[in-house]
Amino acid sequence: MTPLLEARGLSKFFPSRDGKGIVRAVNDVSLSLAQGETLGIVGESGCGKSTLARMLMRLIEPSEGKVLFQGEDLMSLPNGAMRQRRRDIQIVFQDPYASLDPRMNIAQIIAEPLEIHGIGTRAERAARVKELTSLVGLDPAAASRYPHEFSGGQRQRIGIARAIALEPKLVVLDEPVSALDVSIQSQILNLLDDLRTRLRLSYVFISHDLSVVQHVSDRVAVMYLGRIVEDGPAEAVLGAPKHPYTEALISAIPEIDPGRRKSPVLLSGDPPNPEDVPSGCAFSPRCPLVQDICRREAPGFRQSGPSRARCHFVEGT
């Protein structure tokens, strides 16, 4: 079966600050997403998650590689055809305070995608706005109000309503709960889960919080310094990690039950400068298992059960 979304060898390079080199923000990323699935992409801040998300939507052009949506190469589409494809691929941004136009009321914000694509009459769009506000748990009577009159969680609900207005097949969620209070995060996550089931959506869920990704994802891809270092089914990656970086991330998840707490895996130092990536394995300066081969040779993916990892010492290959 053709994947809903597929990235092949996707890379994005930016000039370095001094203009003499390049920063490999995303480096040779390949992934796929099936219809109805949620793919969680997790990693530290600055590892390239948001850049990857924007390339998947063709909001920015890749330096190398391609993105296929239902088998169609998005990078080869002319502007008119890509504009139509955008109905199928929508995004919810991280900051609910910055992603809504303060000069537009909620009805205008949610109806804007419908107007852009020429969908429905004015009365039909107004009815659709009422339907959408109710669907995301807001009072339709509040649609005449402006963003500053809403809380962060309510604003994110508005952003979600705007994203699903065109009945997309795929929604990219770029850190959708990281700017919200913990008490509100669970409400938004439950809403997203309900909408996925009700509307038969697929999600790419970007986050630096592994506990959130664990809650929502069917499959997980772990990024480090622009590359995916481990991916596979969520229960395999998070239950039995094969890469030492994934293991360190998992060990940092807070555990309420004292009997289930484990000693954290402490990493030395900070992530390397992306303008000067170490030779061999990029994780080698921080890896507790590092050997000479790690500093000499960059590891490729090695399969271990249902998951795979970029590590020389993955067992089961």
Side-chain angles (χ1 to χ4, degrees):
M1 182 179 296
T2 301
L4 178 69
L5 177 74
E6 186 177 8
R8 297 180 183 174
L10 210 56
S11 298
K12 184 62 180 181
F13 309 144
F14 296 101
S16 60
R17 294 177 182 177
D18 60 10
K20 298 179 181 179
I22 60 172
V23 177
R24 298 177 181 270
V26 175
N27 188 7
D28 191 24
V29 167
S30 296
L31 53 81
S32 64
L33 176 73
Q35 178 68 48
E37 191 175 54
T38 295
L39 172 65
I41 300 178
V42 68
E44 293 171 285
S45 296
C47 72
K49 302 185 302 295
S50 292
T51 301
L52 174 60
R54 282 156 176 74
M55 282 195 292
L56 293 176
M57 298 189 65
R58 202 182 164 188
L59 294 179
I60 58 175
E61 299 288 333
S63 304
E64 296 175 353
K66 60 176 62 178
V67 177
L68 306 178
F69 187 81
Q70 295 182 316
E72 183 176 42
D73 183 5
L74 296 184
M75 303 306 159
S76 66
L77 294 181
N79 290 338
M82 187 64 215
R83 181 187 178 95
Q84 290 302 310
R85 260 305 184 192
R86 293 199 187 281
R87 292 181 58 172
D88 294 324
I89 312 171
Q90 292 292 301
I91 187 168
V92 175
F93 294 99
Q94 176 179 0
D95 188 350
Y97 295 90
S99 61
L100 304 180
D101 190 334
R103 299 168 297 179
M104 299 171 68
N105 65 33
I106 302 313
Q108 292 170 325
I109 289 171
I110 297 175
E112 186 177 27
L114 302 171
E115 294 178 5
I116 289 173
H117 288 275
I119 298 174
T121 64
R122 180 176 297 183
E124 289 170 338
R125 289 195 291 266
R128 178 66 171 153
V129 167
K130 290 182 179 180
E131 177 189 355
L132 289 165
T133 51
S134 178
L135 189 60
V136 299
L138 294 174
D139 183 357
S144 60
R145 293 161 56 188
Y146 287 80
H148 72 271
E149 301 178 69
F150 293 86
S151 67
Q154 290 172 322
R155 293 188 198 196
Q156 200 60 299
R157 290 175 186 269
I158 295 163
I160 293 169
R162 176 177 60 186
I164 63 175
L166 296 173
E167 300 181 344
K169 296 180 176 68
L170 170 67
V171 179
V172 176
L173 302 158
D174 188 8
E175 302 266 15
V177 297
S178 63
L180 306 178
D181 293 340
V182 174
S183 60
I184 305 301
Q185 288 184 10
S186 61
Q187 297 177 21
I188 299 300
L189 292 175
N190 289 336
L191 170 64
L192 290 170
D193 187 54
D194 177 64
L195 292 174
R196 183 179 77 152
T197 302
R198 186 180 302 191
L199 304 178
R200 302 176 66 184
L201 296 170
S202 301
Y203 292 148
V204 172
F205 194 102
I206 310 288
S207 181
H208 65 273
D209 188 336
L210 203 60
S211 61
V212 171
V213 169
Q214 185 178 33
H215 178 72
V216 303
S217 301
D218 301 302
R219 293 175 54 249
V220 172
V222 181
M223 287 190 71
Y224 183 79
L225 213 63
R227 305 194 85 168
I228 292 178
V229 296
E230 183 168 1
D231 66 7
E235 63 272 15
V237 172
L238 304 180
K242 307 302 180 184
H243 196 282
Y245 177 63
T246 309
E247 188 175 359
L249 290 179
I250 292 171
S251 75
I253 299 176
E255 179 57 64
I256 297 176
D257 183 355
R260 298 178 61 183
R261 291 176 187 166
K262 299 179 181 179
S263 299
V265 178
L266 301 178
L267 301 178
S268 60
D270 298 316
N273 184 342
E275 297 181 22
D276 186 22
V277 178
S279 59
C281 175
F283 187 60
S284 62
R286 306 175 71 193
C287 182
L289 307 178
V290 63
Q291 303 290 328
D292 287 342
I293 189 175
C294 306
R295 300 184 180 96
R296 296 195 311 267
E297 299 178 17
F301 274 117
R302 298 191 178 200
Q303 194 75 31
S304 179
S307 61
R308 59 178 188 161
R310 290 184 186 272
C311 182
H312 290 296
F313 304 107
V314 173
E315 297 179 356
T317 56

